[in-house]
Amino acid sequence: EGLMQGFDYLLSRNDFMRKDDYSRAMAKISSALMATDTPENTLIANRFPLAMPQEEIEERYAAMAHCIANKLAIEMEYLSLSNEVSKRIFHPYKLFMYNNAWFIIGFDEKRNDFRYFKLNRIQSFNITNQKFRIPLTYNERDFIDEFGMRQNGEWYPIKLKITGKYAMLVKERIYGKNQTVEAVDQNTSILSVEMQNKEDILVFVFGFGANCEVLEPKWLREE
């Protein structure tokens, strides 16, 4: 049952890169279980999937994986958060997932520094014959840890008063570092947590609507 529910979940996503291989493996398992009673399929809803088609994400993933394996630089046009497209020559080091989206970390020749790039923001790309070496100064743990991207901006301590149905729901997920949830009463919780990126924090807070009161910090209350 657990395997079949996992299969339903993975098929519902547009960021799982081995669907064909997994489907063939599950077909063999399913055929062996045909004689037994099977539970009703579980409905899995993939909320807010990426707008980019799965095939294009897979294409970018495969290109980056090839460059990582062969230490080849890649030319790409990248769409920034400010909605501007810039040309980059990039040395890909590692693919990783953060907040249900695929990212690549490596060295950006334009900035002469290590950078993260989101696969679905890559507008076009071309694999070059230019070889690269990973510098001895690069330490992956300086950039990626169990909370995601360490160099994704300053960490901000925030404190929120959550009411209504969200008072219970905020207990179900980890939103950042050093998180605590204090139950004030049945309909009120105090969420204290450290989060990155002011824009992401604002989107997070606005998502609660009228069920959220910002207690700290001052800049977030004003926004």
Side-chain angles (χ1 to χ4, degrees):
E1 180 178 354
L3 283 172
M4 293 306 299
Q5 290 184 8
F7 186 42
D8 291 340
Y9 171 74
L10 290 171
L11 286 183
S12 73
R13 303 194 60 84
N14 65 347
D15 51 23
F16 181 51
M17 302 304 166
R18 303 297 296 273
K19 286 185 180 180
D20 291 341
D21 294 340
Y22 198 82
S23 295
R24 285 191 290 270
M26 286 303 300
K28 294 179 181 179
I29 295 174
S30 297
S31 64
L33 297 175
M34 286 296 289
T36 65
D37 293 331
T38 57
E40 184 176 333
N41 286 342
T42 303
L43 173 64
I44 304 293
N46 183 17
R47 194 181 183 209
F48 305 139
L50 290 174
M52 176 174 283
Q54 176 187 330
E55 293 77 13
E56 293 187 32
I57 294 289
E58 291 177 348
E59 183 183 31
R60 285 151 178 74
Y61 183 97
M64 290 298 177
H66 174 80
C67 290
I68 292 170
N70 295 280
K71 288 187 168 55
L72 292 173
I74 188 168
E75 296 175 339
M76 62 185 186
E77 292 187 333
Y78 189 77
L79 181 66
S80 70
L81 274 175
S82 57
N83 206 29
E84 297 178 349
V85 176
S86 61
K87 293 184 178 181
R88 312 268 181 162
I89 298 180
F90 186 62
H91 307 175
Y93 294 169
K94 186 183 183 70
L95 285 155
F96 66 98
M97 181 168 281
Y98 178 69
N99 282 349
N100 294 324
W102 281 103
F103 284 78
I104 184 78
I105 185 172
F107 184 80
D108 178 24
E109 289 191 10
K110 181 176 181 178
R111 299 298 183 188
N112 194 33
D113 201 358
F114 305 111
R115 285 287 188 273
Y116 309 103
F117 290 104
K118 206 172 185 179
L119 293 196
N120 63 291
R121 290 195 190 141
I122 298 174
Q123 303 298 290
S124 63
F125 64 88
N126 176 52
I127 298 174
T128 74
N129 293 320
Q130 174 188 335
K131 287 277 191 176
F132 68 81
R133 293 182 179 180
I134 299 178
L136 295 176
T137 55
Y138 174 73
N139 183 354
E140 182 178 296
R141 291 293 297 175
D142 292 337
F143 298 91
I144 307 173
D145 64 10
E146 62 271 22
F147 294 105
M149 299 183 286
R150 298 190 67 177
Q151 306 294 332
N152 191 31
E154 182 180 348
W155 288 90
Y156 298 94
I158 67 171
K159 191 172 185 179
L160 309 175
K161 180 180 178 181
I162 309 296
T163 58
K165 63 180 180 181
Y166 294 109
M168 183 276 293
L169 294 176
V170 292
K171 302 175 183 178
E172 297 180 346
R173 293 184 179 272
I174 301 296
Y175 302 106
K177 295 195 301 184
N178 302 319
Q179 175 173 315
T180 61
V181 180
E182 174 190 354
V184 177
D185 55 44
Q186 187 176 0
N187 295 307
T188 309
S189 294
I190 303 297
L191 170 66
S192 300
V193 64
E194 294 177 30
M195 300 180 70
Q196 282 179 303
N197 194 302
K198 285 188 174 183
E199 289 78 13
D200 288 347
I201 293 172
L202 285 169
V203 171
F204 172 71
V205 170
F206 289 145
F208 293 111
N211 295 101
C212 175
E213 177 187 351
V214 178
L215 302 179
E216 299 175 6
K218 182 179 178 181
W219 66 263
L220 187 55
R221 282 183 61 88
E222 292 174 349
E223 290 284 350

